[in-house]
């Protein structure tokens, strides 16, 4: 009962240090705004931006692992709450430039069916649903689909992660793409 994390532990969630990259939201490796970012330069152009609530470091990494692998679904409101402001910033930013806020659609990353059966839930869908509840942004019910299973990302290095999900997802034929921006959760 009550909050799943005490105030002291909540205060230990590692903030993303400033300055931040305007595209990926990660810590800048250089104080110059015109320098390229080692984190997001390899991304395809269609991925216009990203945002993180906190650094994936202790204790945040344990919370994410608890949700994904131990079924700690009571963490969803806390984790989604920490995602609110970064998601709003990302929605306002659009393609990297400030613009009038357009209500985005929230798209959970499709989970491999075998993993979904083992876990009993898709953590991305739970987080997207909570963000939708708090913001009023619609959930994308169809369109984004998984083409194939992939290895667990947590066990892979950076380059292996990119290769692992290459062509793993697709847009379902016959489903019109929404006109609204899509925030992938």
């Amino acid at each position: 009962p009550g909050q799943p994390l005490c105030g002291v532990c909540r205060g230990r969630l590692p903030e993303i240090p400033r300055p931040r990259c305007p595209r990926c939201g990660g810590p800048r490796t250089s104080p110059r705004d015109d320098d390229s970012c080692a984190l997001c330069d390899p991304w395809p152009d269609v991925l216009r931006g990203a945002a993180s609530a906190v650094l994936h470091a202790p204790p945040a990494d344990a919370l994410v692992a608890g949700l994904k692998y131990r079924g700690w679904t009571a963490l969803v409101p806390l984790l989604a709450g920490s995602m609110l402001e970064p998601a709003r910033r990302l929605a306002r930013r659009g393609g990297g430039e400030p613009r009038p806020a357009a209500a985005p659609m929230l798209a959970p990353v499709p989970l491999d069916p075998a993993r979904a059966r083992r876990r009993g839930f898709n953590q991305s869908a739970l987080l997207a649903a909570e963000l939708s509840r708090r913001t009023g942004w619609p959930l994308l019910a169809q369109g984004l689909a998984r083409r194939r299973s992939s290895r667990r990302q947590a066990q892979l290095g950076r380059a292996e992660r990119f290769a692992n999900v290459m062509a793993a997802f697709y847009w379902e034929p016959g489903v019109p793409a929404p006109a609204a921006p899509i925030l992938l959760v």
Side-chain angles (χ1 to χ4, degrees), residues 68-69 111-121 150 152:
K68 286 176 71 170
Y69 307 121
L111 190 59
D112 173 88
R115 285 192 189 114
R117 280 191 300 276
R118 271 194 311 273
R119 289 183 194 162
F121 62 92
S150 56
R152 284 182 50 193

Side-chain angles (χ1 to χ4, degrees), residues 5-177:
L5 212 57
C6 74
V8 172
C9 291
R10 235 183 347 266
R12 290 186 180 148
L13 292 173
E15 239 183 81
I16 309 277
R18 294 181 190 272
R20 298 177 185 155
C21 171
R23 183 177 183 205
C24 71
R28 299 262 328 160
T29 53
S30 169
R32 290 180 30 177
D33 287 337
D34 60 345
D35 286 347
S36 63
C37 177
L39 295 174
C40 65
D41 275 354
W43 292 358
D45 290 339
V46 70
L47 182 56
R48 295 186 184 137
S52 296
V54 295
L55 286 174
H56 191 69
D61 58 346
L63 298 176
V64 170
L67 171 60
K68 286 176 71 170
Y69 307 121
R70 294 183 188 91
W72 296 351
T73 56
L75 291 171
V76 168
L78 172 79
L79 296 176
S82 69
M83 296 166 67
L84 274 172
E85 186 49 37
R88 286 182 176 132
R89 264 194 328 268
L90 191 59
R92 283 191 304 268
R93 197 172 74 212
E97 299 299 321
R99 62 177 175 83
M105 296 191 79
L106 297 165
V109 173
L111 190 59
D112 173 88
R115 285 192 189 114
R117 280 191 300 276
R118 271 194 311 273
R119 289 183 194 162
F121 62 92
N122 176 343
Q123 70 280 355
S124 292
L126 295 178
L127 291 166
E130 181 67 15
L131 283 170
S132 175
R133 187 186 70 74
R134 291 181 182 213
T135 61
W137 297 341
L139 280 172
L140 190 63
Q142 56 182 355
L144 185 61
R146 182 179 281 272
R147 181 180 319 279
R148 61 177 173 78
S149 299
S150 56
R151 293 173 39 208
R152 284 182 50 193
Q153 293 283 85
Q155 301 167 340
L156 305 176
R158 182 170 172 73
E160 292 172 307
R161 286 175 186 237
F162 279 113
N164 190 42
V165 295
M166 186 64 66
F169 304 96
Y170 68 99
W171 192 260
E172 293 178 288
V175 176

